[in-house]
């Protein structure tokens, strides 16, 4: 499985894009879940955060979060894991995630 989403470098994070990604309630719920639980298996997040949507819709939301630089994703075998790019976001926009 190839993934063509390129996560921006920390220096390239843009506040309007990050805020737009966080403006959707499903994406904000995803970010809050990962902030509380740390790196998480994507399928588990979708289930445990009660995100009632199709896998393809959830993948779309993850793509927006990744393209904005809010999360990073890695693959291990057939599973995908995501983590919050908290250090990068805190360095670029201090206090944003804590608010």
């Amino acid at each position: 499985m190839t993934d063509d989403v390129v996560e921006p470098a920390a220096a390239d994070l843009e506040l309007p894009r990050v805020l737009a990604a966080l403006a959707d309630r499903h994406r904000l719920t995803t970010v809050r879940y990962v902030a509380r639980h740390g790196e998480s298996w994507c399928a588990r997040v979708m289930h445990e955060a009660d995100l009632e949507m199709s896998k393809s819709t959830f993948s779309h939301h993850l793509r927006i979060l990744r393209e904005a630089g809010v999360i990073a994703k890695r693959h291990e075998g057939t599973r995908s894991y995501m983590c919050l790019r908290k250090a990068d976001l805190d360095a670029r926009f201090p206090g944003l995630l804590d608010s």
Side-chain angles (χ1 to χ4, degrees), residues 40-80:
S40 302
W41 177 33
C42 295
R44 178 170 287 150
V45 174
M46 190 172 142
H47 174 72
E48 289 184 3
D50 290 325
L51 297 170
E52 295 183 16
M53 62 182 69
S54 68
K55 288 180 185 179
S56 62
T57 300
F58 186 60
S59 292
H60 169 74
H61 286 299
L62 293 183
R63 181 182 184 105
I64 291 170
L65 289 168
R66 286 183 64 205
E67 288 175 343
V70 177
I71 64 167
K73 189 172 165 186
R74 73 174 179 88
H75 299 282
E76 186 176 299
T78 60
R79 291 186 173 192
S80 295

Side-chain angles (χ1 to χ4, degrees), residues 28-38 40 44-45 48-49:
L28 187 56
T29 297
T30 300
V31 169
R32 285 180 174 154
Y33 181 94
V34 176
R36 279 192 307 272
H37 295 91
S40 302
R44 178 170 287 150
V45 174
E48 289 184 3

Side-chain angles (χ1 to χ4, degrees), residues 8-38:
D12 295 333
L13 297 177
E14 299 172 352
L15 186 58
R17 195 163 191 182
V18 171
L19 293 175
L22 296 174
D24 179 88
R25 68 182 175 95
H26 295 106
R27 293 191 291 266
L28 187 56
T29 297
T30 300
V31 169
R32 285 180 174 154
Y33 181 94
V34 176
R36 279 192 307 272
H37 295 91

